[in-house]
Amino acid sequence: MNVGAILKVKGHNVVTISRDATLQSAVTMLANKKIGAVVVIGEDGGVVGILSERDIIGAIAARGVAALSETLTQTMTAEVVTCDEQEQIDSVMETMTSGRFRHVPVLNSGQLVGIVSIGDVVKTHIAEVEHEAEALKAYLSS
Ligand code: AMP
């Protein structure tokens, strides 16, 4: 299965925030939406970074609550690893494991079309493995 199959089920909605926003507004957004990361976009709507709860903890540990008044550029990760809808789920799992992150934005010709989290990927992977096991059982008992 590929990333497009996950997006077909979960939808293409991505929560984004401007890079000029404050860390405080990102914290409020993550809390209200009950999500762990937000994609940061520039003036032209392109992806310029990603901010996860881990970054926020790091910023507060380093600079205290004063970090909450800073703009996101000081805290976000600017080198964003992305994937496309054709990428296989196993490959995205490998990317997340080796990069030690849990979110990957999905781009189609440079346009943001979705985001997959480790939860989405693991859930789909388990469903795939269970489906294969059922098919094998049916084959063996036939
Ligand atoms: P996470 O596990 O997603 O909460 O993120 C852990 C760290 O990796 C944080 O510093 C994030 O900013 C960063 N990060 C998360 N997703 C990505 C990504 N797709 N590409 C690059 N860095 C990321």
Side-chain angles (χ1 to χ4, degrees):
M1 271 175 104
N2 63 19
V3 168
I6 296 181
L7 295 186
K8 236 180 225 164
V9 176
K10 75 170 277 195
H12 291 262
N13 188 44
V14 187
V15 177
T16 61
I17 191 166
S18 158
R19 72 165 133 206
D20 300 326
T22 62
L23 196 58
Q24 175 63 64
S25 61
V27 169
T28 304
M29 188 179 271
L30 294 180
N32 288 344
K33 306 265 183 196
K34 298 184 169 44
I35 53 173
V38 61
V39 175
V40 185
I41 52 167
E43 296 71 33
D44 60 357
V47 174
V48 296
I50 189 162
L51 180 89
S52 94
E53 47 203 1
R54 209 165 282 184
D55 299 316
I56 297 164
I57 299 289
I60 293 173
R63 302 188 290 284
V65 288
L68 294 172
S69 312
E70 299 168 0
T71 59
L72 298 186
T73 38
Q74 279 151 282
T75 303
M76 69 184 193
T77 300
E79 292 289 312
V80 186
V81 177
T82 62
C83 67
D84 60 32
E85 290 181 280
Q86 281 68 48
E87 189 162 337
Q88 292 297 306
I89 288 164
D90 286 0
S91 160
V92 180
M93 274 177 92
E94 171 59 31
T95 303
M96 286 175 166
T97 307
S98 57
R100 304 179 74 121
F101 45 73
R102 298 165 291 179
H103 303 87
V104 177
V106 187
L107 298 188
N108 187 0
S109 306
Q111 289 283 106
L112 187 61
V113 294
I115 187 164
V116 288
S117 73
I118 191 109
D120 302 323
V121 170
V122 168
K123 192 171 127 193
T124 310
H125 183 71
I126 289 171
E128 212 173 9
V129 170
E130 280 175 352
H131 179 76
E132 273 170 24
E134 284 308 317
L136 263 176
K137 268 194 237 165
Y139 172 74
L140 290 173
S141 63
S142 67

